[in-house]
Amino acid sequence: MQYDVIVIGSGPGGYVSAIRCSQLGMKTALVEKYNALGGTCLNVGCIPSKALLDSSEHYYNATHHFEEHGIATGKVKADLQKMIDRKAGVVKKMNDGINFLMKKNKIDVVNGFGSFVDKNTVSVKKEDGSDVSITSKNIIIATGSKPTILPFMNFDGERIITSTEALKLPELPKHLIVIGAGVIGAELGSVYARLGSKVTFVEFADGMIPTMDKTMGKELLKSIKKLGADFHFNTKVSLIENLGKEVKVTAEDKDGKPVEIKGDYCLVSIGRRPYVDNLNLEAVGVATERGKVLVDEHTLQTNIPGIYAIGDVIRGAMLAHKAEEEGVFVAETIAGQKPHINYNLIPGVVYTWPEVAAVGKTEEELKAAGVAYKSGSFPFKALGRATASGDTDGLVKVLSDKATDEILGVHMIGARAADMIGEAVTAMEFRASAEDISRISHAHPTYLEAMKEACLAATDNRAIHS
Ligand code: FAD
Ligand code: NAD
């Protein structure tokens, strides 16, 4: 079959790109090695993790917060298997949704493992062992990423696991050891801590979510500690062993003191690596660097004309919405348009409770770049809405340019921060100043008033309620 575009990989980068290509009149094929479309995000990432986060949050609220609201429940029980079944139902519903979108947009879905034959040909190996060859002027690599796991961590998929297995555990861990207190560690660690597991984090850096603004990590740590979790920071793991019914983690703290932790499961969440295994990039000479496909900044084209790459397999944040933007970008580039992505304004969200959300520069980045800035913060505990709901942990921090007052970064931790960050992204896209936002009416009582108050604080230290 001859196509205008072949997309390899049906994650949020790939399937969104295929839809945009089809909207622009291109005959499009989408190659996916699994039977279910949607990639990491839908099948073992964003959506299933949020389904379990939501279920565990309901349970936690029922056992810890209902009483203060005057709701008597009697004994509440967590049924992990039912939560996992519900999660599978959510994923299935969304899989069906993507199948529908592929049909609606007349995209040919080719199931099987794709690999390059030459710069215009992809061979797809089907489940039954047969091969089919498809050709196209343009090929988009959207093959995503896989969890990073080091040899001495002895991954076995049963007790020493990655996020994929942590989304379908056969039982509630008594003691879950989490290696890496980044985004996955914080989210999935929260799930099990809320359900009653003892959770111990072992982290290389000196705090949680270390790549985000330091204030966020400090605040998140306070909240996760309230769930009863323990932390070993500045600690380097040297060995993980499955001892049968027990897992042993051997590590060393920053003074060289040995640390030994025993639990029944160990989640390794130390990052993800781009996935190009067996794609046969060598056959066409597509350049990579440490596994990442190299692309031209202006077109996302690889060094081989007509071959593009998007999403987790290239540089930048490994986020679904970043992959989607790139998917649309490449489709429009192939169609001869001149699209644009503002990488500085890709928001990052951690779906713990409270949620953490950020966009733009961190305070540490501004300091390192020597930018003169102002900072305004506003705590959730001074908000009427947060006091009413009982969600008083958290704050919004706005960083703006000292001379122009343009907003350079917004960092928030608190109830519904994931949704609230949208205002900051929009404001920054339109290059708003902190004062611009502080002069916009925000509905009362809402959590978003914290954004207005933080902007007032950044403008001229004139927050009203603190
Ligand atoms: P992927 O989603 O990884 O899709 C790549 C697809 O390509 C896969 O389906 C794969 O099977 C297929 N493929 C690979 N090679 C071949 C081949 N040779 N032939 C055929 N098919 C192939 N991001 C967020 O923005 N928000 C979140 O809340 C969030 N939560 C996450 C939670 C977890 C537990 C994890 C692991 C990730 C999470 N992410 C989240 C990250 C997000 O999942 C990724 O950034 C996103 O999926 C990347 O999209 P992609 O299209 O680049 O690749
Ligand atoms: P991450 O980069 O967020 O965190 C990894 C953590 O592990 C870091 O804190 C790092 O210091 C630590 N670490 C690295 N090596 C270590 C070692 N040997 N011992 C101890 N600690 C070590 O990576 P992740 O949490 O695995 O997530 C992978 C990717 O998936 C992220 O890039 C993220 O963008 C994406 N993701 C996003 C979301 C979301 O948007 N809500 C959720 C989950 C995953």
Side-chain angles (χ1 to χ4, degrees):
M1 278 293 274
Q2 171 71 39
Y3 291 95
D4 296 318
V5 181
I6 296 171
V7 184
I8 310 178
S10 74
Y15 90 78
V16 167
S17 193
I19 292 175
R20 189 71 188 117
C21 287
S22 174
Q23 285 176 344
L24 290 164
M26 294 179 253
K27 188 167 169 49
T28 307
L30 180 66
V31 180
E32 172 54 55
K33 69 175 180 163
Y34 294 122
N35 290 326
L37 301 183
T40 303
C41 180
L42 172 50
N43 295 290
V44 289
C46 326
I47 302 299
S49 61
K50 266 82 252 178
L52 289 185
L53 276 157
D54 284 336
S55 296
S56 61
E57 195 181 308
H58 286 312
Y59 172 75
Y60 191 79
N61 283 335
T63 51
H64 289 76
H65 295 308
F66 275 13
E67 212 177 292
E68 83 201 44
H69 284 275
I71 306 167
T73 53
K75 193 160 165 51
V76 177
K77 192 175 157 283
D79 184 339
L80 181 64
Q81 190 52 51
K82 198 156 180 187
M83 290 180 187
I84 289 172
D85 291 347
R86 177 187 171 275
K87 173 217 72 173
V90 170
V91 171
K92 169 78 171 63
K93 209 177 264 176
M94 306 280 296
N95 290 139
D96 292 346
I98 300 184
N99 289 337
F100 164 78
L101 289 173
M102 295 303 104
K103 282 203 186 85
K104 182 183 162 206
N105 287 284
K106 301 190 170 51
I107 294 160
D108 285 351
V109 174
V110 188
N111 282 113
F113 192 92
S115 57
F116 281 92
V117 176
D118 58 45
K119 74 183 264 307
N120 299 108
T121 312
V122 173
S123 163
V124 184
K125 193 162 204 68
K126 306 257 182 197
E127 239 174 18
D128 64 8
S130 65
D131 285 285
V132 26
S133 269
I134 50 179
T135 59
S136 174
K137 285 195 288 277
N138 302 289
I139 299 176
I140 302 172
I141 302 169
T143 50
S145 63
K146 293 280 178 206
T148 300
I149 190 133
L150 304 171
F152 61 82
M153 293 180 167
N154 296 312
F155 167 80
D156 59 25
E158 284 182 9
R159 294 208 171 261
I160 304 171
I161 58 175
T162 67
S163 54
T164 303
E165 295 74 34
L167 295 168
K168 51 175 187 199
L169 284 182
E171 59 182 350
L172 196 60
K174 288 182 200 65
H175 184 185
L176 175 68
I177 306 166
V178 179
I179 313 297
V183 194
I184 292 180
E187 290 186 354
L188 294 178
S190 292
V191 165
Y192 288 103
R194 287 169 188 168
L195 294 178
S197 301
K198 167 90 201 145
V199 177
T200 302
F201 290 88
V202 183
E203 164 62 54
F204 200 62
D206 61 0
M208 289 196 83
I209 48 169
T211 54
M212 295 186 87
D213 190 282
K214 285 270 180 276
T215 311
M216 299 298 109
K218 280 187 199 146
E219 292 297 315
L220 182 62
L221 180 61
K222 286 188 216 159
S223 296
I224 304 292
K225 274 189 172 167
K226 285 186 192 166
L227 298 176
D230 279 344
F231 290 85
H232 294 266
F233 291 122
N234 299 303
T235 301
K236 195 171 168 220
V237 173
S238 53
L239 184 65
I240 308 177
E241 295 164 280
N242 180 345
L243 306 176
K245 290 201 164 132
E246 218 179 36
V247 182
K248 186 168 106 181
V249 173
T250 309
E252 209 177 70
D253 73 9
K254 71 169 183 302
D255 304 319
K257 235 175 64 205
V259 176
E260 195 185 289
I261 309 160
K262 283 186 177 164
D264 49 350
Y265 288 89
C266 177
L267 165 64
V268 179
S269 48
I270 57 165
R272 294 178 61 86
R273 65 169 176 92
Y275 180 68
V276 290
D277 296 7
N278 303 316
L279 198 52
N280 207 17
L281 292 179
E282 314 74 58
V284 268
V286 169
T288 60
E289 193 178 81
R290 279 182 284 129
K292 282 186 187 142
V293 176
L294 293 174
V295 288
D296 172 289
E297 287 305 314
H298 302 293
T299 57
L300 298 185
Q301 191 165 221
T302 67
N303 60 318
I304 305 297
I307 301 182
Y308 299 80
I310 59 173
D312 281 11
V313 80
I314 66 170
R315 87 284 174 272
M318 287 185 166
L319 294 173
H321 42 286
K322 178 255 193 190
E324 289 182 26
E325 293 303 325
E326 290 176 341
V328 169
F329 177 98
V330 163
E332 293 179 352
T333 300
I334 294 171
Q337 299 181 4
K338 296 267 178 282
H340 174 71
I341 296 175
N342 186 346
Y343 281 101
N344 185 44
L345 297 188
I346 304 279
V349 174
V350 188
Y351 295 83
T352 43
W353 195 263
E355 292 170 338
V356 184
V359 62
K361 303 288 182 227
T362 64
E363 200 156 351
E364 292 74 31
E365 284 169 338
L366 292 178
K367 275 186 188 142
V371 176
Y373 66 93
K374 302 178 289 173
S375 171
S377 291
F378 190 81
F380 265 51
K381 65 174 186 288
L383 280 181
R385 186 72 187 83
T387 308
S389 69
D391 293 307
T392 48
D393 284 354
L395 58 90
V396 173
K397 176 161 107 176
V398 171
L399 304 169
S400 65
D401 187 280
K402 192 157 194 173
T404 66
D405 196 34
E406 180 176 350
I407 301 174
L408 303 175
V410 177
H411 308 276
M412 40 178 80
I413 172 164
R416 315 219 182 135
D419 297 295
M420 281 164 49
I421 199 68
E423 179 180 39
V425 179
T426 308
M428 288 174 73
E429 192 64 59
F430 287 91
R431 303 197 61 177
S433 66
E435 186 174 3
D436 287 335
I437 301 305
S438 70
R439 289 190 179 279
I440 293 172
S441 173
H442 285 63
H444 175 74
T446 57
Y447 299 102
L448 206 47
E449 286 174 287
M451 173 72 182
K452 176 176 170 131
E453 291 272 12
C455 284
L456 277 165
T459 305
D460 210 5
N461 199 20
R462 54 189 173 92
I464 302 287
H465 294 93
S466 73

